[in-house]
Amino acid sequence: MEDLEGAFVAARGIRKQYGGITALDDVSLEVLPGEIHALVGENGAGKSTLVKIMTGAVTPDAGHVKILGHDVDALTPEKARERGVGAVYQEPSLVPSLTVLENVFLGRELRRRSGWLERNAMRRQAREALDRVGATTPLGREVAALSVAERQLVEIARALVFKAKVLIFDEPSAILSGHELDRVFAVIEELRSSGIGILYISHRLAEIFRLADRATVLKDGRVVATKAVAGLTTDELIRLMVGRDIGERPRRKPLTERVVLQAQELELRPDSEPVSFELRAGEVLGVAGLIGSGRSRLADALGGIRPARAGTVLRNGQAVRIKRPRDAVRSGIVLIPEDRKREGLILAQSVRANVGLASLADISSAGVVRASDEKRLADEVVRRFGVRPPSTERATGTLSGGNQQKVVLGKWLVRDPAPEVAILDEPTRGVDVGAKYEIYRLIDELVEGGAGVLLISSELPEVIAMSDRIIVMSEGQIAGTLEPHEFSEERILRLAVLGRESDTGQDTAEAPETASR
């Protein structure tokens, strides 16, 4: 692949292996002046590895990176920045205890010959960069006091101060939403107009079609295609990413009337009415609501994380006492938490060890884990749920988000007996379209086996597509229960915003965006 004329940065023939597993194989990509070039692919496709190589954080086994038409030997993060390559990562790399000004120039302070800081010059340059991205943040304010969006803008300003010609945005929308995200989008588009090249990484396809000029698709560490976004359809882009048509989910078998979980008068907080509902075998009961509606509080109560203040939980008609997660598991209830990295996995431990944690009582003797049984369960999770790379000894923290979620789900699904009740709190958050489809398949597998699933999600299309019934929460209580013929985003939002007194038949005004808790 020859360099396109005037490319700011170009990766050529990049190859990288980790422990015999190929992360990138003969990958080439370039970013042109004044373009937004999207890098897309399923989790584990190699996007993060390529970005690390282009920014000098990782050395490739083969291939090279060219900046402004010149090969850069032994590229390091310092060399990349000096030559105009900046990066804005999903998690801002700012020091919270330092001021905005100190963070903008951290490690590259302007100094006089005497060694004293050139504070006036630093203030002037930082202010110009912040003004350029529309940030009014005072230079003396500590970063700890800034919103997530403000921190992102400080990250961008820091790159601009050092004359970045290329900016790499790695999943900026993973921690932003609503008007904050629109603000960052506007900055990205202004930077493109000024001639800066943008490499934009996101699993949200709508953002790709909104922002990008071209898209390069990675799959299994190789470039599948580089195409103009204007000539692409959503279906074609998905097909390139996953190597197949996603298609429709198969219809499940009819529901039974057997109630596997019943909540009676659960008091989640003192200022709201108690919560009561039933979950049937073979049913997906969706839970929708806005920030602070009590959705995740309900999940925590049923999973034993934070017990309800009062009320009764029944399993198969029998009252159970749930004060700890162990009580829930012994009752056949498993909780897949919203924050898989902090609450669902031990990231430093292997896939094998994480899978074994859910079945310790079954694979241990006299307090010692039987390694062969632990390995057997982990092998089943990797094989059955398509964990990539297919290694049980790999640390889970090195897996992509979608593959981490497969491990979190899989470790419970391979238990014997399988859980009869699964509470899934944001199971597809932060995963790509292919991984979402696989997670939907696992949910279908659960209910086809007779389990009841409580599905909590901020994505209304997901709740509507996956659920057999939907309960809508507002201010810690249930505002309404919808049957399939009543499903619509308008009805859900009206109940979520206005509560149970709302008239779901009328048009709704613009409502706040749904979110996690």
Side-chain angles (χ1 to χ4, degrees):
M1 183 177 187
E2 296 184 2
D3 292 330
L4 295 183
E5 184 177 352
F8 273 159
V9 64
R12 289 290 169 257
I14 300 295
R15 180 177 176 81
K16 184 66 181 179
Q17 286 189 316
Y18 293 102
I21 297 173
T22 300
L24 294 172
D25 186 10
D26 193 27
V27 170
S28 295
L29 172 148
E30 72 285 310
V31 181
L32 302 176
E35 83 157 342
I36 298 177
H37 191 138
L39 180 62
V40 296
E42 293 185 272
N43 289 322
K47 304 187 298 295
S48 295
T49 301
L50 180 58
V51 167
K52 290 175 182 177
I53 289 172
M54 294 177 73
T55 56
V58 169
T59 302
D61 299 327
H64 58 278
V65 175
K66 302 180 76 170
I67 300 176
L68 299 177
H70 301 288
D71 289 345
V72 182
D73 295 328
L75 184 64
T76 64
E78 291 74 20
K79 286 184 178 180
R81 285 194 295 268
E82 288 170 359
R83 287 160 175 77
V85 178
V88 179
Y89 294 104
Q90 182 179 138
E91 298 291 342
S93 57
L94 306 175
V95 180
S97 60
L98 298 182
T99 67
V100 170
L101 178 64
E102 290 167 337
N103 269 282
V104 167
F105 282 93
L106 186 62
R108 301 185 68 181
E109 294 83 359
L110 303 182
R111 296 183 182 275
R112 301 184 182 129
R113 289 184 178 179
S114 63
W116 292 98
L117 293 176
E118 286 275 14
R119 288 194 175 275
N120 289 336
M122 289 167 60
R123 289 191 186 96
R124 184 181 67 256
Q125 292 182 30
R127 188 71 268 161
E128 289 173 353
L130 288 165
D131 289 345
R132 186 174 175 185
V133 300
T136 59
T137 311
L139 296 178
R141 180 171 294 171
E142 284 192 3
V143 163
L146 304 183
S147 70
V148 174
E150 288 172 328
R151 295 186 193 192
Q152 287 277 25
L153 294 178
V154 172
E155 288 263 28
I156 299 170
R158 181 165 65 176
L160 295 179
V161 160
F162 298 110
K163 313 302 180 186
K165 297 178 174 63
V166 173
L167 272 175
I168 299 172
F169 287 85
D170 188 3
E171 299 280 6
S173 61
I175 54 174
L176 297 175
S177 61
H179 71 279
E180 290 186 332
L181 187 56
D182 288 335
R183 184 180 179 189
V184 172
F185 285 168
V187 170
I188 292 172
E189 290 171 329
E190 189 279 329
L191 294 174
R192 170 177 57 186
S193 299
S194 69
I196 289 177
I198 306 289
L199 183 63
Y200 189 85
I201 302 165
S202 178
H203 67 273
R204 298 184 178 181
L205 300 189
E207 296 174 10
I208 304 304
F209 286 98
R210 170 177 173 173
L211 295 172
D213 302 294
R214 290 191 298 154
T216 290
V217 181
L218 286 182
K219 179 172 174 56
D220 297 329
R222 297 185 64 88
V223 173
V224 175
T226 296
K227 292 179 175 286
V229 172
L232 278 175
T233 65
T234 301
D235 287 345
E236 183 181 0
L237 186 55
I238 291 173
R239 189 161 51 248
L240 289 169
M241 289 170 60
V242 304
R244 65 186 188 279
D245 290 315
I246 292 298
E248 295 293 328
R249 292 190 313 108
R251 297 301 301 173
R252 293 191 295 268
K253 63 185 180 183
L255 298 175
T256 70
E257 293 302 316
R258 182 169 67 89
V259 175
V260 292
L261 177 71
Q262 187 174 8
Q264 293 182 341
E265 301 291 312
L266 289 186
E267 185 179 315
L268 302 181
R269 60 192 199 195
D271 59 343
S272 60
E273 294 183 13
V275 170
S276 299
F277 67 88
E278 292 182 348
L279 174 67
R280 298 183 289 242
E283 175 184 38
V284 175
L285 178 60
V287 184
L290 305 179
I291 294 175
S293 65
R295 297 176 310 159
S296 289
R297 178 68 183 88
L298 173 62
D300 288 349
L302 295 172
I305 305 296
R306 286 187 294 166
R309 297 166 58 90
T312 305
V313 176
L314 293 90
R315 277 279 293 115
N316 293 323
Q318 299 296 314
V320 293
R321 180 181 174 87
I322 300 177
K323 296 298 182 182
R324 298 173 298 175
R326 181 185 302 175
D327 300 330
V329 173
R330 287 174 174 171
S331 301
I333 302 171
V334 300
L335 168 63
I336 309 301
E338 177 184 9
D339 190 340
R340 58 177 170 266
K341 291 187 176 182
R342 290 196 304 172
E343 300 171 349
L345 295 168
I346 302 176
L347 296 177
Q349 294 292 319
S350 65
V351 171
R352 172 180 52 78
N354 273 279
V355 170
L357 285 173
S359 302
L360 280 179
D362 300 324
I363 62 173
S364 301
S365 299
V368 178
V369 174
R370 295 189 296 275
S372 59
D373 287 341
E374 186 181 55
K375 180 70 163 55
R376 172 180 54 79
L377 289 177
D379 284 339
E380 183 177 353
V381 169
V382 169
R383 175 190 57 78
R384 184 172 158 192
F385 306 124
V387 177
R388 294 291 180 269
S391 168
T392 61
E393 300 308 309
R394 191 179 181 102
T396 53
T398 67
L399 302 181
S400 65
N403 284 294
Q404 288 179 0
Q405 193 71 320
K406 290 178 185 179
V407 174
V408 175
L409 284 164
K411 70 180 181 181
W412 294 110
L413 268 62
V414 296
R415 278 172 54 92
D416 186 19
E420 271 202 317
V421 176
I423 304 165
L424 311 182
D425 194 355
E426 301 285 3
T428 65
R429 170 165 289 171
V431 306
D432 61 64
V433 64
K436 279 188 177 185
Y437 181 79
E438 294 299 323
I439 291 169
Y440 296 157
R441 181 181 62 79
L442 297 182
I443 294 173
D444 283 334
E445 185 177 322
L446 268 172
V447 294
E448 285 166 5
V453 172
L454 200 67
L455 174 64
I456 301 168
S457 176
S458 298
E459 297 187 31
L460 294 187
E462 178 172 271
V463 174
I464 290 171
M466 292 296 298
S467 302
D468 299 299
R469 289 184 300 137
I470 298 172
I471 59 175
V472 183
M473 297 196 67
S474 177
E475 298 183 351
Q477 60 198 35
I478 294 177
T481 302
L482 302 179
E483 298 294 333
H485 68 276
E486 300 173 302
F487 290 178
S488 74
E489 293 189 27
E490 176 192 339
R491 286 174 181 263
I492 293 171
L493 282 172
R494 177 167 286 276
L495 284 168
V497 174
L498 301 178
R500 66 179 60 185
E501 300 302 323
S502 64
D503 177 6
T504 59
Q506 298 177 2
D507 291 336
T508 183
E510 184 178 350
E513 185 169 331
T514 54
S516 59
R517 288 185 182 265

